[in-house]
């Protein structure tokens, strides 16, 4: 067995893991290791060949692989070690050791002082949303299709229907059309677009692909290969309305119906998960309930922008590094972050008020789209921070800062809420 | 004739309608601020898009490698460019930013590699 | 051309069990199946429960065979390396009406020869299975009711039979059976003819069509659809015992059962159909399941479901197992009417059919070299870290984990492909090894498995299917190759 020890070990070398590793090194950690199951660095960015990355971090519009490269090219020069084609199978958080396997070394028993969970997420499946019908070939989640097309060089079908108006679904609509396939419809159960408007324009409108809001797929037909799907309108409770169905002939159904943080390993490490985000509960230092274990990126909560993942992961990497260097934080008080009116969830879920005085960023999602609103962070009845927004949308994560000098004002709870602007 | 565009300049996403005869724009309405005007003018007269796709890679880690146009291409040339790129092959070693097709279809735009 | 002693039509649980039994003798045996893989139709889409026969119709052949088969599984599962657990079942009464039916069911169990059942009070039921509905009035405990991996069982029967000399012809459809002087002489398939002395009709859903070929079809077979939910592994209301509903005048109810791999399953519906290929899951069926199973297991929720599937029970009219040699057509043995308890009864049907063959003149010379043990594919996930390490050093393919949800390695996938009666499709891999059954439902592993299959079988990736020709996953490379 291959046994080794590191100061900071990061599971996953996608945008989260890469940013965390670099930051850990920058605060002075000596031995940093990235453990990645794929044969190259970059994680999901490798297959996101479309532009839209880096607008905030680099002030440039980059494609996924280009964005990843900005970080990948720093790995070797910084002396960060990498294990590729290596799958972590177990974490013993009591011993601070993890077990991974790869072809070259067999079982790797790796010790850590700090562990950063950056495993990303998986896609929600047809089975998880129980679409009735047969089980033929030709049903793919969008990410799986994207991997076949953009990395393995295969085409997965000729005539498509896409369920879900999230960004992945829309981006694949464009990709498939450029590859010569026919995308006959994008079907969305919500009454609003769940992805970015920009993608609707450049991926659907550009190619005259119809979008059906407040609709869903209620049947799949085909014995060996998909032959048709049934589309139905839904009511306000998302139940199909009888009599509104029609069939679309197609040979492929692409599903873009949500991402789920991949936390099976986290559970093995005894990390406590939030039932809303399905990711670990963390403090503003991105540390989980298990000491020495940090989390960032999609494994923590599903993000829309890789740029936000980078910022959040830099925080995780920094504190993971400082933790490995022996820095201890003694919280004077713990402030629970409570989602108030109109807010679905907040990350971090708690703030540990210590001697450290620094701005703290809160990331959160709203429950419903709205225009002309005020976002407010308050505690003990007092306003801590406030911001105006022309437009908010559940599909676009919001970020607000608690300024360093406002930390004193925090009580046992802080509440983030949305309020309509009174005209 | 009339054509409606969703403006992408800011998150509001105004639906802006252009009324024109041929290439002469007569009226623009539906925008909540001035920035929408140059946006829809461009979209109406000369829409451009960044193209991202893959090309065959021989001797590389993966059978195809991701590429992009280094500048936006005229929207009406996108599918013709795809036809060119579907037949394009490059050989390892492949470097980030390397030019795969120079001045594709006389557009002044290069197609470059986007991965290492 | 070689003359077969026995041709078995159908490679489901029954057909492969008979094949294995026959492979204990010096005989030329051939199994033919229209499907691309062994597993049959009903045998690969059922609940995986090994019944005791407590609720069979007393005095019937089904009752005899199921009651006889149940105790055989400890040895059989060990010999064939098939996951099997005698978890026990609780026949659960939640209404007064159901509770009053229990004594009759208890007596019926005894009549079937299943004496080791116990009446349970509500408290006893709750103590045996804490997740059981708080409304439980009482129940009957059936300790020998068990759960098995039905896919592995059939593959194991088949592999062991093949190891011991049985030949298999898959993707081969029987289109006719020719007689000579009132005796079976040839089986005609869509790829050629097979000379044989005996034919065993173990074709499940299609036993009627085969029987018609020899004019022995005095019955009909129609499919009775059963839909199921499969649940995620780590749900808070996971059960250890099978929970069975008490059948009343109004309904048969739905069951909840643990599986050997840790995913609970709930169902099935019972819908009589005509189309023998109608494998569609319906919204109505799924709703029916949840409503009904909540009586036994109130916490059951579709939100925890990984996927849903359905199987088609081969339902013979008139009902009842009928396993006999034909008097009019010498050499033809029909194994018909096997339904719902077929996987369980396969173990005893095998011996029963071999006895019939002996009575019909088949010489049974024991094969000295018969090897009863079949070792399954390496169970990587169950090895210790040291064992995993040694294995990877010997063969690095075991160091590449392909299925993240169930921890399955490339080495195991290669085994599944290279073994006799190897996997050739994604579903065949799924049945042997689990990739595709986990939380991601193949999202992560399929692109990798498709490439491994293509490489090992030396075929283009676009020919790899989900289950058979026509169900290819890919349409082709998207950039021109060499």
């Amino acid at each position: 067995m291959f046994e080794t020890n590191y100061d900071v070990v990061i599971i996953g070398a996608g945008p989260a893991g890469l940013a965390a590793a670099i930051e850990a090194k920058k605060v002075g950690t000596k031995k940093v290791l990235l453990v990645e199951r794929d044969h190259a660095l970059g994680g999901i960015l490798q297959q996101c060949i479309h532009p839209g990355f880096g607008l905030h971090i680099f002030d440039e519009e980059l494609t996924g692989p280009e964005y990843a490269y900005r970080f990948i090219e720093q790995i070797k020069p910084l002396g960060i070690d990498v294990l590729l084609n290596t799958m972590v199978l177990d974490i013993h958080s009591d011993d601070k050791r993890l077990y991974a396997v790869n072809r070259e070394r067999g079982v790797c028993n790796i010790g850590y002082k700090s562990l950063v969970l950056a495993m990303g997420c998986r896609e929600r499946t047809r089975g998880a949303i129980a679409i009735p019908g047969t089980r033929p070939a030709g049903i793919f989640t969008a990410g799986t299709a994207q991997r076949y097309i953009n990395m393995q060089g295969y085409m997965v079908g000729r005539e498509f229907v896409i369920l879900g108006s999230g960004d992945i679904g829309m981006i694949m609509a464009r990709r498939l059309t450029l590859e010569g396939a026919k995308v006959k419809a994008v079907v969305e159960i919500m009454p609003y677009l769940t992805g970015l408007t920009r993608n609707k324009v450049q991926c659907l409108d550009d190619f005259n692909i119809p979008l059906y809001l407040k609709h869903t797929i209620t049947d799949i037909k085909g014995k060996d290969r998909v032959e048709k799907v049934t589309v139905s309108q839904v009511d306000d409770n998302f139940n199909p309305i009888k009599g509104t169905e029609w069939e679309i002939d197609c040979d492929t159904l692409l599903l873009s119906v949500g991402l789920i943080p991949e936390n099976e390993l986290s559970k093995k490490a005894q990390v406590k998960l939030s039932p809303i985000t399905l990711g670990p509960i963390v403090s503003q230092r991105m540390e989980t309930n298990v000491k020495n274990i940090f989390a960032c990126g999609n494994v923590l909560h599903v993000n829309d922008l890789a740029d936000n993942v980078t910022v959040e992961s830099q925080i995780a990497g920094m504190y993971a590094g400082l933790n490995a260097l022996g820095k201890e934080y003694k919280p004077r008080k713990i402030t629970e972050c409570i989602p108030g009116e109109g807010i679905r969830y907040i990350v971090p879920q708690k703030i540990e008020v210590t001697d450290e005085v620094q701005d703290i960023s809160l990331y959160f999602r709203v429950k419903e789209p709205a225009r002309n609103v005020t976002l407010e962070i308050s505690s003990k009845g007092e306003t801590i921070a406030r911001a105006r927004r022309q437009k908010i949308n559940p599909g676009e994560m919001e970020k607000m800062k608690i300024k360093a000098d406002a930390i004193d004002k925090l009580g046992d709870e802080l509440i983030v809420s949305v309020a309509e602007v009174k005209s | 004739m009339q054509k409606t565009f969703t403006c992408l300049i800011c998150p509001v996403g105004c639906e802006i309608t252009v009324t024109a005869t041929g290439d002469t724009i007569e009226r623009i309405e539906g925008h909540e601020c001035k920035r929408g005007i140059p946006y829809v003018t461009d979209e109406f007269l000369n829409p451009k898009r960044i193209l991202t796709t893959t090309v065959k890679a021989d001797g590389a880690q993966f059978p195809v490698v991701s590429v992009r146009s280094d500048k936006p291409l005229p929207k009406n040339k996108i599918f013709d460019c795809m036809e060119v790129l579907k037949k394009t092959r490059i050989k390892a070693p492949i470097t980030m930013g390397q030019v795969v097709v120079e001045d594709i279809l006389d557009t002044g735009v290069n197609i470059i590699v986007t991965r290492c | 051309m070689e003359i077969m002693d026995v041709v078995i039509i159908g490679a489901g649980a029954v057909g492969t069990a008979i094949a294995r039994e026959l492979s204990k003798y010096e005989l030329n045996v051939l199994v033919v199946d229209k499907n691309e893989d062994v597993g049959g139709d009903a045998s690969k889409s059922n609940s995986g429960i090994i019944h005791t026969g407590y609720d069979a119709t007393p005095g019937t052949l089904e009752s005899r065979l199921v009651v006889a088969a149940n105790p055989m599984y400890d040895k059989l599962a060990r010999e064939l390396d098939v996951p099997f657990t005698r978890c026990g079942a609780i026949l659960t009464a939640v209404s007064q009406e159901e509770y009053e039916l229990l004594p009759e069911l208890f007596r019926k169990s005894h009549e079937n020869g299943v004496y080791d059942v116990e009446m349970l009070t509500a408290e006893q039921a709750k103590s045996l299975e804490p997740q059981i509905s708080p409304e439980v009035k009482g129940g009957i405990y059936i300790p020998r009711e068990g759960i098995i991996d039905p896919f592995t069982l059939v593959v194991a029967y088949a592999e062991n039979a093949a190891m011991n000399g049985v030949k298999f012809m898959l993707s081969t459809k029987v289109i006719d059976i020719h007689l000579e002087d009132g005796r079976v002489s040839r089986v005609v398939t869509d790829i050629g003819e097979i000379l044989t002395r005996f034919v065993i009709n173990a074709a499940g859903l299609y036993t009627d069509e085969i029987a018609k070929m020899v004019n022995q079809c005095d019955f009909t077979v129609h499919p009775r659809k059963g839909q199921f939910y499969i649940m995620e592994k780590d749900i808070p209301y996971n059960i250890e015992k099978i929970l069975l509903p008490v059948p009343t005048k109004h309904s048969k109810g739905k069951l909840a059962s643990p599986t050997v791999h840790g995913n609970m399953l709930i169902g099935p519906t019972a819908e009589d159909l005509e189309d023998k290929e109608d494998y569609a899951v319906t919204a109505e069926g799924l709703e029916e399941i949840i409503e009904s199973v909540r009586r036994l297991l109130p916490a059951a929720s579709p939100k925890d479901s990984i996927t849903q599937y359905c199987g088609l029970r081969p339902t013979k009219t008139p009902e009842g197992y009928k396993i006999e040699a034909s008097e009019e057509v010498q050499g033809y043995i029909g194994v018909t009417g096997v339904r719902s308890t077929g996987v369980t009864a396969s173990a005893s049907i095998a011996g029963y059919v071999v006895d019939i063959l002996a009575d019909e003149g088949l010489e049974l010379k024991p094969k000295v070299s018969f090897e009863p043990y079949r070792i399954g594919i390496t169970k990587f996930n169950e090895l210790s870290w040291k064992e995993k390490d040694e294995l990877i050093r010997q063969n690095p393919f075991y160091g590449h984990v392909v299925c993240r949800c169930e921890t399955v390695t490339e080495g195991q996938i290669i085994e599944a492909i290279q073994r006799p009666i190897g996997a050739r499709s994604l579903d065949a891999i799924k049945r042997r090894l689990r990739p595709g059954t986990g939380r991601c439902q193949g999202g992560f592993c399929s692109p990798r498995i498709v490439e491994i299959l293509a490489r090992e079988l030396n075929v283009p990736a676009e020919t790899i299917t989900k289950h058979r020709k026509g169900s290819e996953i890919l349409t082709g490379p998207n950039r021109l190759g060499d």
Side-chain angles (χ1 to χ4, degrees), chain C residues 10-28:
Chain C
V14 169
T16 53
I18 297 170
R20 181 191 184 236
E21 197 61 32
L22 287 172
S23 74
K24 294 177 182 173
Y25 306 98
E26 297 289 357
L27 295 166
N28 283 331

Side-chain angles (χ1 to χ4, degrees), chain C residues 324-398:
Chain C
E324 22 184 86
S326 162
E327 285 179 9
E328 293 97 46
V329 179
Q330 301 294 308
Y332 170 80
I333 288 115
V335 183
T336 65
V338 176
R339 183 203 82 203
S340 297
T341 50
V343 169
T344 305
S346 64
S348 54
I349 291 175
Y352 189 79
V353 166
V354 171
D355 287 346
I356 293 175
L357 287 165
D359 289 342
E360 293 296 303
L362 183 67
E363 314 81 35
L364 298 179
K365 181 159 163 249
K367 186 181 284 173
V368 167
S369 63
F370 175 74
E371 174 50 70
Y373 282 90
R374 166 252 181 206
I375 299 171
I377 300 172
T378 309
K379 295 171 193 51
F380 182 83
N381 209 13
E382 293 176 20
L383 301 176
S384 70
W385 293 114
K386 190 152 174 283
E387 288 167 335
K388 284 184 170 89
D389 190 56
E390 269 159 28
L391 180 61
I392 298 170
R393 276 168 206 293
Q394 273 170 42
N395 183 344
F397 279 115
Y398 290 95

